[in-house]
Each structure stands twice: as structure tokens, then as C-alpha cells.
Amino acid sequence: RVGVQLYGSPNPDFVSGLEQQGAKVAVVQVYNYGPASDTVRVLEFIEALLSGTVDAITFTSAPQIESLFDTAETAGRTSLLLAALNKDISVAVIGEVTGRALIRRGVEVRIMPKVPKMAPLADAMAAYFEHAGR
């Protein structure tokens, strides 16, 4: 028997792989992301990202990325968002799973701690900006 804690979204490939190896999988979903309750605020945030007034953004989960890009797509701002994230904004992620979600979208991840925890993420961001002279 194997317990699998999901991080906001299903992972059928992982669960299926375990089951194919003979495991009886018990899936536990601790939290679930839903659509943004105030899309106007998300659109305002996207416009702030596009305006050049944001130096850095931090993502702590893949569903956050999907939500941001879904809203950008609905507003016809996806290509502009990608350009801003890759040119003007230092993108930080808490770990590899979140980083891969951005990379799949075509975003360059500039900051990722060696340990996927909040304190190391803050330290990695501080070191990045100290080195960049910002």
C-alpha cells in the first residue's frame, strides 16, 4: 500500500505507474486550486507585470502558473506575459515541479533554491539580487 499526497492537482501518470508495479495507491488531496475568485484583480496583476514595474515574481506551485496563464489567455495577453517574464522580470520558483510548469510554458526560471522550502527560496532570491547588484 502506498499513500500519495497530491499538491493541488491530480497526477494520474504517477499513480498509474505505481499501480502497474502492483501498488495499491491511496491518494490524498490536501488542497485543491479553483479558478481565481476575482479575475479583475488577476488581470490588474498581469497588467502590472506587463508595465515594467515588477522586478521579480515568485511561484510556489504549478497550479498558480496555470491560473495566471489561463487568465492571460482569456484576455489575449499570453504572448506579452511570456515576453515580460523572459525579459524584464526575474522569475523565482520554490522547486523543480513548479519550475517545470514554467519551462513548459516557455518561461526562463532564474531563481530556484536547492531545497524546495520557503526560507531557502527567500535566501536564493536575496543572493540573486545581491549578485545582480539590484
Side-chain angles (χ1 to χ4, degrees):
R1 293 188 54 82
V2 177
V4 175
Q5 179 179 330
L6 299 177
Y7 289 91
S9 59
N11 193 337
D13 292 338
F14 181 66
V15 172
S16 175
L18 291 171
E19 289 172 339
Q20 288 174 6
Q21 297 297 317
K24 292 185 179 187
V25 180
V27 176
V28 178
Q29 187 152 343
V30 180
Y31 55 88
N32 188 21
Y33 284 94
S37 60
D38 189 348
T39 55
V40 171
R41 295 296 306 262
V42 177
L43 287 170
E44 288 173 356
F45 178 64
I46 290 169
E47 292 306 316
L49 294 171
L50 300 180
S51 73
T53 60
V54 176
D55 292 322
I57 186 169
T58 302
F59 294 97
T60 58
S61 71
Q64 289 174 332
I65 296 158
E66 298 310 315
S67 178
L68 181 66
F69 274 89
D70 288 348
T71 303
E73 186 173 332
T74 299
R77 309 299 266 169
T78 306
S79 61
L80 293 171
L81 177 61
L82 274 170
L85 291 173
N86 283 318
K87 180 181 177 207
D88 302 322
I89 300 170
S90 297
V91 177
V93 297
I94 196 159
E96 290 182 31
V97 172
T98 307
R100 283 194 304 269
L102 279 169
I103 292 166
R104 278 193 302 273
R105 291 283 189 165
V107 176
E108 176 190 354
V109 174
R110 297 184 190 175
I111 306 162
M112 182 171 53
K114 292 179 181 171
V115 178
K117 303 277 184 198
M118 291 301 281
L121 174 59
D123 291 342
M125 290 184 74
Y128 176 86
F129 284 107
E130 184 177 298
H131 183 270
R134 291 177 140 182

